[in-house]
Amino acid sequence: MAGTVEQGQTSGNGTSSPNPQGPQAEFEVFNPATGQVIAKVPDMSAEQVAELARKARAAQPGWEAMGFEGRGRILLRCQKWLLDNAERVIETIVSETGKTWEDAQLAEISYGANAFGFWAKNAEKYLADERVKSASVILKGKKLILRYKPLGVVGVIGPWNYPLTNSFGDCIPALAAGNCVILKPSEVTPLTSLLMGEMLTECGMPADVYQVATGLGPTGAALIDQVDFIMFTGSTATGKKIMAKAAETLTPVSLELGGKDPMIVLSDADVERAANTAVYAGMMNGGQTCISIERVYVEAPVYDEFVAKVTEKAKALRQGVPAGPGSVDIGAVTFPKQMEIIEGHVNDALAKGARAVVGGKRGAGPGDFFEPTVLVDVDHSMECMTEETFGPTLPIMKVADEDEAVRLANESPYGLSGSVFSKDVARGEAVARRVESGAICVNDALMNYSALELPMGGAKASGLGSRHGAHGIQKYCQHQAILVSSLHLKRDVHTFPYNKRTTQGLMKLFRLLWGRGKRD
Ligand code: NAD
């Protein structure tokens, strides 16, 4: 595994910064809840990334040759390792993200453990040869096969909000398929990815099958030049750069990007469940989840009741430096620059007439905290309703009816996920189907991410392609179409030398096959 970590001693309160001095440039990793530097990590150059790719290419045939069973055995060992070492992994995640113990346990450990088992069990099924039947008589006697062959070396570029789930998580199916993987984690949170390398080595993964390219944006850009596929999770703005860069080498990409997920609360909703879900799905992980509830539309008859319940529940949330299980409900803002965005959206809303019924400003330092915030009297002239906030904020808007709710929900460049609440599940599902998004929940939120059988990908500016399900592993493979001719003549009739009789005979055959009947 590449990328060694040095423990840093100095303290600071910024984001990672490159250090061009010395033989190996490094950047610092901070604990955003305390502002302290917790490690220094190599900022890898393009040459170093190319070297990782050379090693990966050398290791890949051996890894592929281990077969699904051999690879699956290692993945299942990792599943157990993750639970045996859960406290250490959670501490690492918490230290670099500032998230709560529970957010790391529920959304990262459980995801990772589930995913190891899922891909170990299902990779072979999803990637088995598919026998295809053709209706065309000219293909009679030929065997048609769709085969999934690992691409070779997959590059995964990840964000900072879920270092295990959203960065390392996407490596698991790529590895299960027989690829080597180079992971470029976010420069804000590289430590979990490095720890995952330790886990894989301990669990018997051969050298160089999984490598970590620590670094900033340019390290990610260099990775695109070296690999056969890029799985990217991050902002829509960076996603566009990734796609443009990948176009230079015609490298296929899968993009999991930003969102502005709406929640629609219909007048016949279970308001208590809707309010609990809004507060949890809007603020767990400090609201730093791609599929967080980012805005709520409530039908007028239940608006006051919903706002009252959300206000009471959000006021009760405890925020602070995470200190073990049960210590706080809301942790820190992981990425210092995100703080400016959150504060900007809240201030913009307040300046335009919104009210903060809970929170509304930064929390006490030295770490980076933003108070759990509930905004009312909001509308679509405000950034908090139209741009991704990615913080513990919940703007709530009153709407006249479901048509207005759907229209506003769709008035967004994003289309990642969302949710609809109604006791009439048929009505809830009908409204959900009108929301333009890659995923949608009825009387729930976030849970679709745990359904590894179901594709998860964004519509509109929220992404391209998907993770999970059959496509979530088939995308890491060359789809090779194989035709095997077993019953054949010495010379096929349509081939050289051309002669008039055969050509006319074939035309008769084509007319018989495809030309019968009249045009309507
Ligand atoms: P980001 O786009 O700033 O960075 C993501 C990664 O891209 C980082 O590793 C970064 O170093 C790298 N990068 C930056 N510039 C690059 C370049 N030019 N070439 C190659 N790599 C480059 O995103 P972020 O701030 O780390 O993450 C937050 C965003 O991620 C939010 O928008 C969130 O919605 C999104 N996200 C989406 C999903 C999803 O599944 N759709 C999941 C989690 C997060």
Side-chain angles (χ1 to χ4, degrees):
M1 181 192 66
T4 48
V5 187
E6 258 175 55
Q7 299 303 317
Q9 297 302 320
T10 50
S11 69
N13 198 24
T15 182
S16 319
S17 56
N19 170 15
Q21 273 99 48
Q24 171 62 69
E26 289 181 328
F27 60 91
E28 294 174 330
V29 182
F30 293 85
N31 179 332
T34 62
Q36 287 188 318
V37 175
I38 51 172
K40 286 184 187 167
V41 173
D43 181 14
M44 290 193 181
S45 65
E47 292 70 34
Q48 287 174 302
V49 173
E51 180 54 24
L52 298 187
R54 273 191 290 278
K55 289 198 219 163
R57 293 207 182 278
Q60 194 273 333
W63 177 239
E64 185 180 350
M66 285 176 70
F68 291 107
E69 210 191 315
R71 295 193 294 271
R73 208 173 307 127
I74 293 176
L75 298 182
L76 289 176
R77 265 185 229 142
C78 291
Q79 185 183 48
K80 305 294 169 272
W81 188 100
L82 202 55
L83 291 168
D84 289 345
N85 293 273
E87 281 72 25
R88 185 174 164 215
V89 179
I90 291 172
E91 274 163 19
T92 304
I93 295 172
V94 170
S95 75
E96 62 180 348
T97 59
K99 68 174 68 182
T100 66
W101 184 277
E102 283 74 11
D103 288 338
Q105 178 184 287
L106 284 170
E108 307 233 51
I109 295 289
S110 82
Y111 179 88
N114 186 24
F116 276 126
F118 179 81
W119 293 114
K121 181 168 168 242
N122 291 299
E124 185 165 13
K125 179 184 84 184
Y126 286 141
L127 301 183
D129 281 2
E130 290 175 26
R131 280 293 292 273
V132 176
K133 269 204 158 44
S134 172
S136 176
V137 290
I138 58 177
L139 290 167
K140 284 285 172 255
K142 301 190 193 300
K143 187 162 82 173
L144 307 178
I145 303 161
L146 173 55
R147 177 228 180 171
Y148 299 100
K149 177 182 162 42
L151 283 168
V153 180
V154 169
V156 177
I157 301 178
W160 45 258
N161 58 334
Y162 285 99
L164 197 162
T165 299
N166 281 150
S167 292
F168 183 76
D170 287 313
C171 301
I172 303 172
L175 291 166
N179 297 287
C180 284
V181 174
I182 302 173
L183 169 59
K184 204 307 264 175
S186 168
E187 57 273 35
V188 183
T189 55
L191 305 182
T192 306
S193 300
L194 293 166
L195 180 57
M196 293 297 95
E198 231 178 286
M199 168 190 69
L200 290 165
T201 305
E202 248 184 69
C203 292
M205 178 158 282
D208 305 328
V209 170
Y210 167 83
Q211 299 176 91
V212 184
T214 52
L216 315 189
T219 307
L223 182 61
I224 299 169
D225 286 338
Q226 299 295 334
V227 295
D228 305 309
F229 187 92
I230 280 287
M231 171 68 214
F232 172 79
T233 305
S235 63
T236 297
T238 309
K240 289 179 184 173
K241 290 186 200 162
I242 301 283
M243 202 165 168
K245 176 84 178 138
E248 291 171 14
T249 44
L250 277 182
T251 303
V253 295
S254 186
L255 306 174
E256 299 287 340
L257 308 177
K260 187 72 191 168
D261 289 359
M263 172 190 264
I264 295 175
V265 183
L266 299 174
S267 54
D268 59 356
D270 178 337
V271 179
E272 178 67 17
R273 176 163 175 85
N276 276 324
T277 310
V279 173
Y280 182 69
M283 298 192 181
M284 63 84 65
N285 211 49
Q288 304 161 114
T289 303
C290 52
I291 52 174
S292 286
I293 297 297
E294 284 253 338
R295 52 196 169 121
V296 189
Y297 303 100
V298 189
E299 276 193 309
V302 290
Y303 174 81
D304 289 340
E305 185 189 353
F306 179 82
V307 170
K309 284 182 185 290
V310 165
T311 302
E312 185 198 331
K313 293 169 197 301
K315 270 189 180 151
L317 294 173
R318 300 158 302 152
Q319 184 173 43
V321 178
S327 55
V328 285
D329 302 306
I330 311 279
V333 173
T334 302
F335 184 35
K337 277 194 194 140
Q338 201 65 39
M339 183 72 107
E340 291 159 30
I341 296 171
I342 301 166
E343 195 172 37
H345 287 188
V346 171
N347 288 343
D348 169 73
L350 296 176
K352 289 173 179 162
R355 283 182 299 126
V357 289
V358 183
K361 58 181 191 325
R362 284 177 189 241
D368 286 324
F369 294 94
F370 199 90
E371 294 175 349
T373 295
V374 179
L375 296 169
V376 295
D377 300 340
V378 292
D379 61 40
H380 275 219
S381 71
M382 301 170 188
E383 290 166 350
C384 70
M385 293 300 281
T386 56
E387 289 174 27
E388 187 180 51
T389 307
F390 226 55
T393 59
L394 204 57
I396 308 174
M397 184 172 172
K398 190 195 288 188
V399 292
D401 53 28
E402 69 179 52
D403 285 344
E404 187 183 14
V406 170
R407 180 178 62 73
L408 290 168
N410 291 338
E411 199 178 279
S412 170
Y414 295 111
L416 193 55
S417 191
S419 58
V420 178
F421 279 73
S422 168
K423 281 189 199 144
D424 177 348
V425 289
R427 181 184 177 212
E429 192 181 325
V431 172
R433 284 170 184 266
R434 295 171 64 196
V435 176
E436 295 161 358
S437 62
I440 190 90
C441 297
V442 176
N443 295 328
D444 227 316
L446 307 176
M447 291 306 289
N448 57 301
Y449 206 95
S450 305
L452 299 185
E453 299 77 2
L454 206 55
M456 157 79 214
K460 303 200 278 187
S462 288
L464 198 69
S466 59
R467 56 163 68 92
H468 301 164
H471 178 71
I473 188 164
Q474 289 169 350
K475 72 183 178 191
Y476 293 127
C477 295
Q478 179 66 48
H479 296 201
Q480 189 179 37
I482 302 176
L483 182 150
V484 179
S485 192
S486 42
L487 277 177
H488 45 238
L489 304 167
K490 293 278 179 217
R491 183 182 76 82
D492 289 329
V493 288
H494 63 279
T495 59
F496 298 139
Y498 291 153
N499 73 72
K500 197 171 170 184
R501 246 185 87 213
T502 310
T503 303
Q504 286 170 339
L506 283 173
M507 186 52 85
K508 277 189 191 150
L509 176 68
F510 297 162
R511 290 214 164 96
L512 190 69
L513 288 174
W514 303 310
R516 280 173 296 160
K518 287 215 161 65
R519 268 186 284 161
D520 62 7

